């Protein structure tokens, strides 16, 4: 069994050692998802900014043009 760090809080429940997380798992997952979204937006700006203005990626006209090119417009 993995030995806990001295900084971690350990309690015993029904004879089982429980190690409490310093940062809750839900907060960790939320931070990871937020970072993924931020990096996705930065990547779109860099990718679109090679040929055009990076801020044009947020214009609706850019996305309607892209949908017309791919034939995805209904």
């Amino acid at each position: 069994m993995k030995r806990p760090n001295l900084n971690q809080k350990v309690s015993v429940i029904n004879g089982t050692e429980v190690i409490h997380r310093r940062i809750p798992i839900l907060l960790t997952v939320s931070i990871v998802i937020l970072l993924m979204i931020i990096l996705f937006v930065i990547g779109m700006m860099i990718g679109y900014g090679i040929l055009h203005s990076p801020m044009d990626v947020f214009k609706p006209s850019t996305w309607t043009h892209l949908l017309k090119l791919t034939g995805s417009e209904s």
Side-chain angles (χ1 to χ4, degrees), residues 10-11 24 29-30 38 40 48 53-54:
V10 179
S11 60
V29 170
S30 300
I38 290 171
F40 178 73
Y48 195 76
S53 171

Side-chain angles (χ1 to χ4, degrees), residues 4-63:
N5 266 347
L6 296 176
N7 298 342
Q8 293 178 335
K9 183 179 177 184
V10 179
S11 60
V12 178
I13 300 174
N14 294 333
T16 304
E17 284 185 356
V18 177
I19 301 172
H20 299 279
R21 296 180 182 267
R22 189 172 288 213
I23 300 174
I25 194 75
L26 189 60
L27 181 64
T28 305
V29 170
S30 300
I31 290 172
V32 168
I33 290 174
L34 181 67
L35 285 175
M36 287 172 57
I37 291 170
I38 290 171
L39 290 176
F40 178 73
V41 169
I42 290 172
M44 284 194 320
M45 289 176 67
I46 291 172
Y48 195 76
I50 291 173
L51 299 175
H52 305 284
S53 171
M55 295 308 286
D56 284 349
V57 78
F58 300 113
K59 291 182 180 176
S61 61
T62 302
W63 293 100

